[in-house]
Amino acid sequence: MISSLNLNLNRPAPISSSIKPSLSPRIAPIRTRLPPSPGFAELSVVSLSKSSISKPLHIGASLGRKESSITCGAYEADRLEPVVDGSESARKVKIGIYFATWWSLNVVFNIYNKKVLNAYPYPWLTSTLSLAAGSLIMLVSWALRIAEAPKTDLEFWKSLFPVAVAHTIGHVAATVSMSKVAVSFTHIIKSGEPAFSVLVSRFILGETFPPAVYLSLIPIIGGCGLSALTELNFNMIGFMGAMISNLAFVFRNIFSKKGMKGKSVSGMNYYACLSMLSLVILTPFAIAVEGPKMWAAGFQQALSDIGPQIVWWMAAQSVFYHLYNQVSYMSLDEISPLTFSIGNTMKRISVIVSSIIIFQTPVQPINALGAAIAVLGTFLYSQWPSSEEVSWIPRFNQHLLCRRSSEDGEAGKL
């Protein structure tokens, strides 16, 4: 819808002056005004009556030096077409690189992590080393100005603390699970995390979901149950470790949503701070559960069985754990939560398939069927965005239409 308004002016006005058009009885002024910008006049904006306009308008005015009329173009906000240029293509390539790097690093981490746990079965120390390596990498990056250090305060760390507690529990529980069962089995059970998310949100937080979300839980729960019942090397500790990890990560996401609202920290720095705080929380518990004596005795045994390469395996699993998590958090700066959820599902498929091939894990057809059903259910679940993700869409469109005032610093409103 394109409309034009011709306004007669008594005399030419400088750019900084205000222009007051004559109003007919059927025209009512809007209280908001367009912010000043180079080449544009600051003017009061008028609108037709509500009976003639039912959708929000975006109006721009153009003034010539000797012109006596103002032409205003208007279009409907919900018909706004995105501008497609080279930057959009570059962004898609960047996201593709993030996803490929994320999946590859995760596969490599799981391989080295399982090798370490097979030769050195101390999951508490292994988990601690992963967090320590990531913390050291980020501290060095900040010191050398490779990455910009985040600006944090006491309130930030208070908000981060419950997130770090849940992250620590989930990380240790998953490592304990991998030390007892096959990597593929751990990730099959961890693909049931959406079921925990829905149940916790429904019965603890009181949130409701569309019927399709509840229906997607049927293949998730059924597939995980079928895989567990037909797992040749089933271990209760390994199974419970994966289940506890699912529950802990659900609470981590809940605490993160509630505590980090309004905090402006990039994904990379957010995960760095999370790793450091989790390291502080985990270290005393790792010493209490396993202890230096057990670690030293186990290391000597691993050296005699594997040789010096056990040191490389431990270093590799620690570094790759941080790198894959860092890339996944960095990708959240570029994509929506819905796209991230789909990417996480595809990541589990790559880890399950690669671990079965590399470690030659025996898999029965019925076990593979259960895994496929569980992953399919997770993919179907990811197709239904949460209420926060749905509300994100109109907020994004408003961001495209609104202008921030340079005078008072307050966000413009439609």
Side-chain angles (χ1 to χ4, degrees):
M1 177 178 66
I2 302 297
S3 64
S4 297
L5 301 178
N6 292 325
L7 306 178
N8 294 325
L9 304 178
N10 295 327
R11 58 181 179 179
I15 295 300
S16 59
S17 64
S18 298
I19 304 173
K20 297 183 179 180
S22 58
L23 302 178
S24 65
R26 300 184 60 183
I27 297 180
I30 297 177
R31 294 181 180 179
T32 58
R33 66 179 182 182
L34 293 177
S37 59
F40 288 82
E42 181 180 349
L43 71 159
S44 300
V45 181
V46 298
S47 170
L48 300 179
S49 61
K50 293 183 179 179
S51 60
S52 61
I53 297 179
S54 60
K55 296 181 180 180
L57 301 179
H58 182 77
I59 302 177
S62 177
L63 278 178
R65 292 184 178 179
K66 297 182 179 180
E67 292 177 352
S68 60
S69 63
I70 300 174
T71 302
C72 298
Y75 58 84
E76 297 174 2
D78 58 352
R79 293 187 182 178
L80 177 63
E81 296 293 336
V83 179
V84 180
D85 53 16
S87 61
E88 181 64 21
S89 300
R91 179 177 174 274
K92 291 181 179 180
V93 172
K94 182 179 180 181
I95 293 174
I97 294 175
Y98 272 146
F99 270 52
T101 306
W102 173 21
W103 297 342
S104 301
L105 292 173
N106 188 258
V107 169
V108 174
F109 157 72
N110 279 277
I111 292 172
Y112 279 110
N113 191 47
K114 186 59 179 176
K115 284 185 175 183
V116 170
L117 292 172
N118 285 341
Y120 188 70
Y122 295 94
W124 288 78
L125 176 61
T126 303
S127 301
T128 306
L129 292 176
S130 301
L131 297 174
S135 300
L136 180 61
I137 290 173
M138 291 309 300
L139 288 173
V140 172
S141 299
W142 293 339
L144 298 179
R145 299 185 181 275
I146 298 175
E148 184 179 356
K151 297 179 181 180
T152 62
D153 52 19
L154 183 59
E155 290 300 321
F156 172 86
W157 293 101
K158 286 182 179 179
S159 301
L160 189 64
F161 182 77
V163 183
V165 171
H167 178 74
T168 303
I169 295 173
H171 176 42
V172 174
T175 308
V176 170
S177 176
M178 290 187 189
S179 69
K180 300 295 183 182
V181 296
V183 175
S184 57
F185 180 70
T186 297
H187 280 272
I188 291 171
I189 302 303
K190 284 180 66 62
S191 66
E193 183 177 328
F196 286 85
S197 179
V198 171
L199 294 176
V200 169
S201 299
R202 177 66 183 87
F203 293 105
I204 296 181
L205 302 180
E207 297 182 6
T208 57
F209 300 89
V213 172
Y214 295 108
L215 291 176
S216 69
L217 301 185
I218 297 177
I220 294 176
I221 297 174
C224 290
L226 184 61
S227 295
L229 291 175
T230 57
E231 175 66 25
L232 296 176
N233 299 315
F234 179 82
N235 180 279
M236 182 57 69
I237 297 178
F239 175 76
M240 292 304 300
M243 296 287 281
I244 292 173
S245 178
N246 283 339
L247 187 61
F249 285 145
V250 167
F251 279 102
R252 179 192 66 179
N253 297 338
I254 292 174
F255 293 146
S256 181
K257 288 179 181 179
K258 288 187 175 182
M260 300 311 297
K261 288 183 178 179
K263 304 294 190 301
S264 57
V265 178
S266 67
M268 180 177 65
N269 284 335
Y270 177 78
Y271 181 71
C273 296
L274 182 63
S275 295
M276 294 175 188
L277 190 53
S278 295
L279 176 62
V280 173
I281 296 171
L282 178 58
T283 300
F285 288 95
I287 295 174
V289 174
E290 294 173 347
K293 291 184 179 181
M294 295 179 62
W295 295 338
F299 187 72
Q300 291 296 327
Q301 184 64 40
L303 279 176
S304 61
D305 295 340
I306 305 299
Q309 62 181 342
I310 185 63
V311 178
W312 158 247
W313 290 357
M314 295 173 71
Q317 74 88 25
S318 300
V319 172
F320 280 109
Y321 173 80
H322 173 77
L323 291 179
Y324 101 77
N325 275 287
Q326 178 175 296
V327 172
S328 70
Y329 272 81
M330 289 170 63
S331 67
L332 275 173
D333 291 338
E334 303 291 335
I335 60 178
S336 69
L338 178 60
T339 305
F340 182 85
S341 180
I342 296 173
N344 198 44
T345 303
M346 299 300 102
K347 177 206 73 175
R348 295 209 185 279
I349 295 176
S350 63
V351 171
I352 291 171
V353 173
S354 62
S355 64
I356 290 175
I357 295 174
I358 293 174
F359 294 106
Q360 298 182 350
T361 306
V363 180
Q364 299 183 84
I366 190 67
N367 185 264
L369 177 62
I373 293 173
V375 173
L376 175 61
T378 304
F379 179 78
L380 294 176
Y381 169 85
S382 68
Q383 301 304 300
W384 295 92
S386 65
S387 58
E388 290 189 6
E389 292 165 13
V390 172
S391 63
W392 171 82
I393 297 174
R395 288 204 306 271
F396 177 72
N397 288 338
Q398 288 182 4
H399 175 72
L400 291 178
L401 297 175
C402 293
R403 299 282 301 274
R404 182 172 295 274
S405 173
S406 61
E407 293 181 343
D408 52 19
E410 295 181 356
K413 300 179 181 179
L414 288 177

